[in-house]
Amino acid sequence: NLALWHFGNSLHNPHCFYRARRRPGRFDAGFDLDVVWVNGKARFYVSKVRRKKLKSRLRPGDTLVSFDGTPASQLLYIFRNKSNANNRRRLARDLAFYLPHPLTWETHKARRGSTWRFRRAGAVVDIDLRVKWQRRKRKSYYWLERRFDYGKPYCERIRRRDYGRYKLAASGIN
């Protein structure tokens, strides 16, 4: 399953992905990452700390310096097959979700945990963490978390388009 998932992602076609019959769960590092672009480079930072043991060491806004020895500047290249994105911004967004929530298919992560290095603004010393992976409690899949619910009122407010002499045959999610 993992090899097929990586193969599908290596095509970098967002319309092509692999879904196993038995979907994997996710591990959880106890915090969430997000990404901003500064001078054309992705900068990953902590957006939320959920695990109580980490709250004394990690704060929202701390910038990721390295993950398991890989410098943050190389993450988009090294982990490119963790996403089927065909552009760097989408790839960075997918990695911001993947890094603290890897798939349970990757069993080597469960045994050894991961090392993280963060930098706090104005701090002299970096923050080094060794995080043990825990299984994510709720069954949550990235591709489902970002879906649109077309039954919600916000979609009803979208103006109807005039297609001229053509009739709209169907609509849905691309």
Side-chain angles (χ1 to χ4, degrees):
N1 284 335
L2 184 60
L4 289 172
W5 182 62
H6 283 162
F7 172 73
N9 286 344
S10 73
L11 302 173
H12 295 289
N13 180 345
H15 302 285
C16 175
F17 48 89
Y18 173 71
R19 282 195 186 166
R21 287 180 188 237
R22 187 168 171 237
R23 293 189 180 158
R26 294 240 177 226
F27 288 121
D28 184 26
F31 58 87
D32 296 329
L33 293 177
D34 208 343
V35 64
V36 293
W37 287 83
V38 179
N39 297 325
K41 295 180 181 176
R43 181 181 295 167
F44 295 94
Y45 67 94
V46 176
S47 60
K48 186 176 185 180
V49 181
R50 289 176 282 95
R51 200 178 294 172
K52 288 180 183 179
K53 290 180 181 179
L54 295 176
K55 287 186 177 186
S56 64
R57 306 220 30 226
L58 204 55
R59 293 185 201 156
D62 290 346
T63 303
L64 181 64
V65 175
S66 68
F67 170 71
D68 281 343
T70 302
S73 61
Q74 295 178 15
L75 290 174
L76 292 181
Y77 178 74
I78 300 294
F79 291 97
R80 67 189 177 280
N81 285 341
K82 304 299 182 185
S83 168
N84 64 354
N86 62 1
N87 64 75
R88 292 175 26 157
R89 289 185 181 270
R90 176 58 194 256
L91 174 59
R93 197 174 79 191
D94 288 351
L95 284 182
F97 179 82
Y98 170 81
L99 291 173
H101 310 290
L103 298 170
T104 54
W105 282 335
E106 299 173 283
T107 54
H108 66 279
K109 290 202 179 280
R111 288 191 296 271
R112 64 178 172 82
S114 286
T115 57
W116 303 78
R117 177 171 279 178
F118 292 95
R119 184 167 294 145
R120 185 163 296 146
V124 178
V125 180
D126 289 341
I127 303 160
D128 290 322
L129 296 174
R130 180 147 187 91
V131 175
K132 290 282 187 186
W133 294 106
Q134 295 178 355
R135 278 195 176 263
R136 195 160 174 170
K137 290 183 181 167
R138 63 186 176 105
K139 284 195 173 183
S140 164
Y141 300 101
Y142 182 63
W143 53 85
L144 293 177
E145 287 180 1
R146 300 220 186 258
R147 72 175 181 224
F148 256 123
D149 185 352
Y150 284 94
K152 296 280 184 185
Y154 53 73
C155 287
E156 294 170 0
R157 288 183 254 144
I158 298 174
R159 283 186 324 163
R160 296 226 176 251
R161 292 192 179 121
D162 180 10
Y163 293 99
R165 62 185 188 150
Y166 299 100
K167 290 186 178 180
L168 182 62
S171 63
I173 298 175
N174 183 359

